[in-house]
Amino acid sequence: MLSAFTARPIIELKPRDKSRIECILAYGDRVLVGLNTGSLRVYRVNDLSPSPSPANPSDSQSPEASQSSVNPDPSSSTQDPSSQPDSQPVVPQQKPTDLLREIERFSPRAIEQLAIIKEANTLVSLSNYCVSLHDLHTFEPIASPLPRTKNASGFAVTSNIVKDPATGIPEIISRLAVSVKRRLLLWSWHESELEEEVKEVVLTESIRSMTWACATRLVCGMNSGFVVVDVETGTVEDILGPPGGAAGGNQGRWGAVSAGGMGYMGLGGYMPKPLCTKLADGQLLLAKDVNTLFIDDTGKALEKRQIPWQAAPDGIGYSYPYILALQPPAKGCLEVRNPDTLSLLQTLSLPGAAALHFPPPTVSLAHAGKGFHVLSDRVVWKMDATDYDSQVEELVRGGKLDEAISVLTMLEDALLKNKTETLREVKMQKAEVLFRQKKYRESMDLFNEDEVNAPPERVLRLFPKSIAGELSGVEEEKQGQSQQSDSEQEGSSNGTATADQQQQERPKTPDVAEVSSTPKTGGFARYLMRTRTLNPETASIASSKKGSDDDATSIKGKPIDEQAQSEKDLMSAVLELNSYLAGARARLQRVLDPVTGKLKPRGTNTQTDEAFKALLLSNPHLQGADDAQLEAHLQHTFRVIDTSLFRAYMFSRPTLASSLFRIPNFCDPAVVNERLIEQNRFHELVDFFYGKKLHREALNLLKRFGACEEPDPLCPTLHGPQRTVLYLQGLPASMVDVILEFSEWTLRKDPDLGMEVFLADSENAETLPRERVMRFLGGIDIGLEVRYLEHVIGELGDANPEFHNRLVELFIKQLSTMEKGEKWEGTMERLVRFLRESKQYSLGRARGLIPKDDPAFYEAQAVVLSNMGQHRQALMIYVFKMKNYGKAEEYCNRIHKTLESPPQPSGMPISNHSISSPSPSAPSSPPASTLNQPISPSSENRRRETHNLPHPPLPLPFPSRPRSLPPFVSSPVPPLQTWLPPARNPLPLLSHPRHTTCV
């Protein structure tokens, strides 16, 4: 039980005094006591030094302790100064209160109720069914009785600061509500002046209780239920329970209870008084009999369950932050409950206690009036609240973690030494308890709350070494228990271990589950079975029964079942651990960049600043650390989280391990390498190496499985160069050494696939050093070098002359060593096309490289000569060497189309481009008309263009006869006009900027 309050008697009537206490009023250091005789006594409360708290807080909960505290001897009201170590010289004992004054004729009848209106310096009293006003200092009557208050049954007072709607200036307004049967009378004080207007509201039945909900609304309790009265407008609204809610679902719970049902032996019906008290945050508690309802200050019901009272209380109240209920005087006890959980936290025995008195509701802070009073007809007790930190500590020590969390949540930060840290610690303790109760999800969710942000070391301590590594706290326990069981078995085998010795070897506070657990259960199972509770009365029987059936148990295989259950529990726990580690990782990423391992800049992002603030609040030891220390701590924490997350994935969901490696992580490479190799998960190991930039290790692993002749049974999917090629394509150009080193075996294994490393359409492939790659590929195969150069020049548009010259050289070298065939012809076509299209290679060098006497290279020679502007030599090759007149015609047409200047009328005679047989022994060509006929395309447009142009007389194509020509060649050649068709005129000569050519 909790020691939230301690009762201290401050006023006790002497035995010879026949008066009875009817009511009290406490304000400041004064206590006014109204007696049944109509007298009013004024006491002054002395400021006494607090007595030392008892050594055992539970002692204050026992009836004997409570009895001694409320009925002390005269000498027990103060501590003996000599008993204190720092005692001063002995002084006379001081009474808790001093009687200052007694007004005997204050009222002709018993004083039933007292209140003050401090701003008006007025004392309000209820006596003889009338309400009276007196001066608070002189106690002289102001209005005795107050008009229209005859037959009054009660009143309620409130004071509030309200802004004037006209001026907006705040002012203090006090109100007095008096119940006279069905009528509700209202007086108001503005500042300290009583207004003459008296408002009146008539209800449906007699008013039995009143409580101010706010400055303008009053809750009135009647036999039929409760209503809310707006004192400004006079409107009345019934208070109904929430439909289908915890309070009962209809107004019947608040309806009148039949007199016949509550009557006894015809002596008249008893109707329980409706009770109401104001709580914090604008809430109110209504009670009638054992039924309760929580409402807000507007009268709307709240979704809360009812307080489980065993009997109807005589009075209820609220003292921050607890709900109080006073049981009937016959029981004489005060119950203290948590308004959040409604649990009973403390029960104080106060013999004869009949009423509760709380400070006037005029204070601005909810906790400022935490002290209250309880009175009987002879004694007044002052209820002192204990220190809130002590209360929380006591709840935690008693295992009431939910209550401790609830109390910490309700209390204000200023009332505790370190509310944030204390609440965080209690929540972590609760999460550990939930974990031992096998409520893994609730436990991890609590660990993962932003306000808790439990350190991973503390969470991982709950798991075995296979998950937590060196941070595990279960493995050590298992080892200690195994050693203990071994020693016990050895002692029992020697016959020297007695029951007393075994009892001494047990822990000081053993659980029943530990006594009844089998010694063969694993450490994690033992850890989880700590909270298994058995009936204490049958625990010994179960233990003895188990001890007698050890042999049968081993035969039946019960430890195997428990081990299977332990593994199942561990799997469930690890699955929930994954969510915690993922959440912790996300929080760390808000302050630490996982790519660079550096702290994120502060002051530029609001979310980052809030994350830093939350981190420092959850780790007080880091608040004075500099950035370097903070960065090192976060990197260590990140490493612990990622490594544990990897272990958890490998235990519960191995397929998820690769997803962790594809993102920047801080996993320990040694742990990952060892665990993945144990389970033959080489794909994930490659992904991990790639993420950690351990590329050489990854490529060595891929080469081990890919370069072998037959697939390795350990990982057949990595056989071949495919995986290595994909890996190399993902490396940047800065890793060119590694790329060239490990691409060699892929090129030798599968050249087409291996070349994808250098020919892929990616930034990495395009930014590789091309000259180095060219030399590397040439060292393996010139065909690979040719493919690479064609890709670089043709697709990437590299204009480096060295590459163009090298490609020409490689083409010629490749053709010279290649057997003629379809492949050879394709290569030759590529060479000719390259020679024709490229403008970057050296013409002289290319001409020197091309074999001049090899007929296969005639066309290549002609292309080079054409690019050099030697069209005569090029045409001679087409006509006399290749005897391919179609290509000659195509060549002439192509040259004509490329001419930039228009034709000139006075061109150079075509005799300048006359061609003759290259050698006397060469066979003669057909008539030149076969060369000149298709010079112009067979279109009428060309003829129209050239028809009207003037032409000089054309000389013979061959003005001089070569020596040693055959007879049919030595004959005169007819003019060119005779070779052309009749309707076709000879074409003019076209001039070129560099040379003259025929078309």
Side-chain angles (χ1 to χ4, degrees):
M1 297 293 285
L2 176 67
S3 298
F5 298 98
T6 56
R8 179 168 59 95
I10 58 173
I11 298 175
E12 294 182 86
L13 299 183
K14 296 180 180 180
R16 293 177 296 177
D17 192 346
K18 303 302 181 182
S19 304
R20 295 193 309 272
I21 301 175
E22 293 291 338
C23 64
I24 66 170
L25 171 63
Y27 65 96
D29 62 345
R30 297 289 190 270
V31 176
L32 307 183
V33 178
L35 304 178
N36 64 333
T37 59
S39 299
L40 180 67
R41 294 181 181 177
V42 181
Y43 290 89
R44 181 184 61 201
V45 180
N46 298 320
D47 186 12
L48 302 179
S49 58
S51 59
S53 59
N56 186 4
S58 60
D59 295 343
S60 62
Q61 306 304 320
S62 61
E64 293 80 1
S66 300
Q67 184 76 16
S68 61
S69 64
V70 299
N71 293 312
D73 295 334
S75 60
S76 63
S77 60
T78 58
Q79 293 289 335
D80 185 6
S82 61
S83 63
Q84 301 180 2
D86 299 333
S87 60
Q88 299 294 332
V90 179
V91 296
Q93 293 182 354
Q94 188 177 13
K95 296 180 181 181
T97 56
D98 294 326
L99 179 61
L100 301 180
R101 183 178 179 184
E102 181 175 359
I103 300 94
E104 295 183 355
R105 297 299 178 182
F106 184 81
S107 174
R109 303 287 295 272
I111 304 174
E112 300 177 11
Q113 189 178 356
L114 292 172
I116 63 170
I117 300 176
K118 187 176 182 181
E119 293 72 25
N121 196 27
T122 301
L123 174 65
V124 186
S125 62
L126 173 63
S127 178
N128 195 21
Y129 300 104
C130 292
V131 176
S132 302
L133 303 180
H134 293 76
D135 185 273
L136 185 58
H137 296 296
T138 63
F139 302 103
E140 295 295 330
I142 298 175
S144 181
L146 193 62
R148 304 174 60 181
T149 60
K150 186 177 181 181
N151 295 324
S153 59
F155 64 84
V157 175
T158 184
S159 296
N160 300 274
I161 299 176
V162 181
K163 286 186 178 181
D164 190 335
T167 62
I169 300 175
E171 58 181 357
I172 299 177
I173 297 180
S174 301
R175 287 188 172 92
L176 169 65
V178 180
S179 59
V180 182
K181 295 184 179 181
R182 295 170 49 196
R183 294 182 301 137
L184 181 65
L185 305 177
L186 299 166
W187 284 266
S188 298
W189 281 263
H190 286 261
E191 294 298 338
S192 59
E193 298 296 330
L194 177 62
E195 293 185 349
E196 297 182 358
E197 180 186 3
V198 179
K199 295 183 180 181
E200 180 177 341
V201 180
V202 180
L203 304 183
T204 57
E205 32 179 321
S206 299
I207 303 172
R208 300 191 61 187
S209 65
M210 293 179 297
T211 303
W212 285 98
C214 62
T216 60
R217 283 187 289 272
L218 185 70
V219 176
C220 298
M222 303 174 293
N223 289 337
S224 61
F226 293 83
V227 296
V228 177
V229 179
D230 192 322
V231 298
E232 291 185 338
T233 62
T235 57
V236 180
E237 295 182 3
D238 293 333
I239 297 176
L240 304 177
N250 51 49
Q251 193 180 356
R253 295 294 298 270
W254 301 101
V257 182
S258 64
M262 298 298 295
Y264 175 72
M265 296 295 290
L267 297 179
Y270 167 75
M271 190 68 63
K273 182 180 179 180
L275 305 175
C276 178
T277 186
K278 189 173 181 180
L279 308 178
D281 301 326
Q283 297 183 7
L284 290 92
L285 171 63
L286 311 182
K288 189 173 183 182
D289 200 3
V290 294
N291 302 319
T292 59
L293 178 68
F294 290 89
I295 64 172
D296 59 13
D297 54 6
T298 63
K300 295 182 180 180
L302 304 177
E303 294 289 343
K304 278 192 176 183
R305 62 187 182 92
Q306 294 198 25
I307 298 177
W309 280 325
Q310 298 299 326
D314 274 6
I316 61 174
Y318 177 78
S319 181
Y320 183 85
Y322 302 110
I323 293 177
L324 308 172
L326 184 63
Q327 296 298 328
K331 293 185 176 180
C333 64
L334 178 67
E335 294 182 356
V336 181
R337 292 183 179 270
N338 186 335
D340 184 21
T341 63
L342 306 182
S343 302
L344 180 62
L345 299 181
Q346 183 182 11
T347 301
L348 293 94
S349 178
L350 302 172
L356 299 173
H357 172 73
F358 297 91
T362 57
V363 293
S364 58
L365 298 177
H367 59 81
K370 59 185 178 180
F372 64 99
H373 297 77
V374 181
L375 60 143
S376 67
D377 56 356
R378 305 291 297 178
V379 183
V380 176
W381 294 277
K382 180 176 177 57
M383 308 303 295
D384 296 322
T386 58
D387 181 62
Y388 290 121
D389 289 293
S390 301
Q391 295 182 29
V392 173
E393 182 180 356
E394 187 175 352
L395 288 172
V396 172
R397 189 167 54 247
K400 298 183 178 298
L401 300 178
D402 287 326
E403 302 298 334
I405 294 174
S406 177
V407 171
L408 284 169
T409 304
M410 292 185 297
L411 292 174
E412 298 181 7
D413 296 354
L415 302 178
L416 297 165
K417 294 179 180 178
N418 192 341
K419 175 182 175 179
T420 303
E421 185 63 27
T422 304
L423 181 59
R424 178 171 176 261
E425 174 63 27
V426 175
K427 285 187 175 182
M428 286 191 289
Q429 292 186 23
K430 180 187 176 182
E432 292 176 353
V433 172
L434 291 173
F435 186 88
R436 296 189 181 98
Q437 295 174 355
K438 301 184 181 181
K439 299 178 181 179
Y440 305 119
R441 175 166 297 182
E442 294 85 346
S443 174
M444 293 302 154
D445 288 346
L446 192 55
F447 275 132
N448 213 16
E449 286 185 359
D450 290 337
E451 295 80 7
V452 178
N453 191 11
E457 294 83 1
R458 182 162 184 171
V459 179
L460 294 172
R461 190 175 60 189
L462 305 174
F463 290 85
K465 192 173 183 180
S466 60
I467 303 299
E470 299 298 330
L471 298 175
S472 172
V474 179
E475 197 67 25
E476 297 176 357
E477 178 184 356
K478 176 180 177 181
Q479 181 178 1
Q481 292 183 356
S482 62
Q483 293 177 357
Q484 180 180 356
S485 61
D486 293 341
S487 63
E488 290 177 356
Q489 292 176 1
E490 182 180 359
S492 60
S493 62
N494 295 334
T496 58
T498 62
D500 295 338
Q501 293 174 345
Q502 294 178 358
Q503 183 67 24
Q504 293 176 359
E505 291 174 355
R506 294 173 183 171
K508 295 182 180 180
T509 57
D511 294 336
V512 179
E514 293 179 357
V515 177
S516 60
S517 61
T518 173
K520 294 186 179 181
T521 305
F524 187 75
R526 283 195 178 118
Y527 186 76
L528 294 176
M529 291 170 61
R530 282 182 177 180
T531 55
R532 266 180 52 188
T533 57
L534 301 176
N535 187 350
E537 298 179 358
T538 60
S540 59
I541 300 175
S543 178
S544 61
K545 180 179 179 181
K546 179 181 177 182
S548 62
D549 295 337
D550 284 341
D551 296 336
T553 300
S554 61
I555 295 174
K556 293 178 181 179
K558 185 175 181 181
I560 299 178
D561 296 339
E562 292 182 353
Q563 183 66 24
Q565 182 63 33
S566 173
E567 293 178 356
K568 183 178 179 180
D569 293 337
L570 180 58
M571 176 63 72
S572 301
V574 171
L575 289 175
E576 300 303 331
L577 176 65
N578 294 341
S579 63
Y580 161 77
L581 293 174
R585 195 177 195 280
R587 284 191 297 271
L588 275 181
Q589 285 182 334
R590 301 173 190 169
V591 296
L592 188 72
D593 188 355
V595 179
T596 61
K598 302 295 183 181
L599 291 175
K600 291 186 176 181
R602 282 168 280 187
T604 59
N605 191 329
T606 305
Q607 295 182 353
T608 303
D609 296 341
E610 293 178 354
F612 268 106
K613 183 179 179 180
L615 175 67
L616 296 178
L617 289 176
S618 59
N619 297 274
H621 62 282
L622 297 177
Q623 293 183 0
D626 55 10
D627 288 350
Q629 295 174 344
L630 183 60
E631 185 176 291
H633 173 80
L634 294 179
Q635 289 178 357
H636 172 74
T637 305
F638 224 135
R639 188 177 302 107
V640 171
I641 291 175
D642 281 354
T643 305
S644 302
L645 186 59
F646 162 73
R647 290 194 181 104
Y649 280 159
M650 293 301 297
F651 181 84
S652 59
R653 297 289 186 268
T655 55
L656 296 179
S658 59
S659 63
L660 178 63
F661 302 149
R662 296 189 186 102
I663 59 177
N665 62 82
F666 287 81
C667 293
D668 189 349
V671 175
V672 174
N673 188 46
E674 178 184 0
R675 187 64 62 89
L676 291 178
I677 291 178
E678 286 178 358
Q679 300 191 13
N680 297 330
R681 305 195 69 87
F682 298 101
H683 279 282
E684 289 81 356
L685 185 57
V686 170
D687 292 338
F688 171 73
F689 283 148
Y690 181 82
K692 302 299 289 183
K693 297 183 179 180
L694 301 173
H695 303 299
R696 188 172 296 277
E697 289 79 357
L699 291 168
N700 280 325
L701 184 65
L702 291 173
K703 183 178 179 180
R704 168 192 165 189
F705 291 101
C708 55
E709 296 297 332
E710 298 295 333
D712 195 320
L714 295 178
C715 190
T717 56
L718 291 181
H719 182 259
Q722 295 87 353
R723 190 70 173 83
T724 303
V725 170
L726 291 176
Y727 192 99
L728 292 173
Q729 288 178 339
L731 296 182
S734 59
M735 303 290 296
V736 62
D737 294 333
V738 178
I739 294 174
L740 298 181
E741 177 183 352
F742 288 94
S743 62
E744 181 177 357
W745 76 268
T746 64
L747 293 169
R748 298 187 186 278
K749 187 88 172 177
D750 189 343
D752 293 335
L753 183 61
M755 282 299 295
E756 291 299 322
V757 177
F758 309 102
L759 305 183
D761 186 13
S762 63
E763 183 180 357
N764 292 338
E766 294 177 3
T767 54
L768 287 171
R770 296 169 183 175
E771 184 175 356
R772 187 171 178 184
V773 173
M774 180 184 67
R775 292 197 305 268
F776 166 75
L777 295 175
I780 299 176
D781 187 0
I782 61 172
L784 302 179
E785 187 178 0
V786 169
R787 288 183 60 185
Y788 180 71
L789 287 174
E790 284 184 302
H791 170 75
V792 169
I793 295 173
E795 297 186 18
L796 302 183
D798 196 321
N800 189 347
E802 293 295 331
F803 294 161
H804 291 250
N805 292 330
R806 178 62 178 169
L807 182 57
V808 173
E809 180 182 353
L810 291 176
F811 270 133
I812 297 172
K813 184 177 181 180
Q814 197 174 24
L815 291 169
S816 301
T817 58
M818 188 184 303
E819 295 182 1
K820 292 187 178 181
E822 183 178 355
K823 184 177 180 181
W824 188 94
E825 292 177 357
T827 305
M828 177 58 73
E829 291 180 1
R830 289 156 53 198
L831 171 61
V832 172
R833 184 169 59 251
F834 177 75
L835 291 174
R836 183 178 295 117
E837 296 175 355
S838 175
K839 305 299 181 184
Q840 303 299 327
Y841 64 90
S842 173
L843 297 175
R845 183 177 178 182
R847 185 179 181 184
L849 291 173
I850 297 175
K852 296 180 176 57
D853 299 332
D854 191 344
F857 289 90
Y858 282 163
E859 185 175 4
Q861 293 182 33
V863 173
V864 174
L865 290 172
S866 175
N867 291 338
M868 296 175 68
Q870 301 178 13
H871 301 288
R872 176 186 178 88
Q873 288 81 352
L875 280 173
M876 290 178 65
I877 292 174
Y878 283 122
V879 175
F880 295 107
K881 291 186 177 182
M882 296 179 61
K883 294 182 175 55
N884 192 331
Y885 310 114
K887 288 189 177 182
E889 176 188 358
E890 180 184 357
Y891 172 75
C892 291
N893 290 333
R894 186 170 61 251
I895 296 300
H896 173 70
K897 292 179 181 179
T898 58
L899 293 179
E900 298 178 355
S901 60
Q904 300 295 332
S906 57
M908 183 180 294
I910 195 171
S911 59
N912 293 344
H913 277 279
S914 300
I915 56 176
S916 60
S917 176
S919 63
S921 61
S924 62
S925 61
S929 62
T930 60
L931 177 63
N932 292 329
Q933 276 181 0
I935 286 178
S936 176
S938 59
S939 63
E940 195 64 25
N941 295 332
R942 182 62 59 86
R943 287 197 292 269
R944 292 195 189 99
E945 292 175 1
T946 60
H947 179 71
N948 298 323
L949 297 177
H951 302 286
L954 295 176
L956 293 176
F958 305 100
S960 60
R961 180 177 298 174
R963 291 177 297 174
S964 301
L965 291 177
F968 66 91
V969 179
S970 303
S971 60
V973 181
L976 185 61
Q977 293 88 335
T978 62
W979 300 350
L980 299 174
R984 182 175 180 181
N985 293 327
L987 296 177
L989 296 178
L990 301 179
S991 60
H992 192 270
R994 292 167 51 189
H995 54 270
T996 304
T997 183
C998 68
V999 266

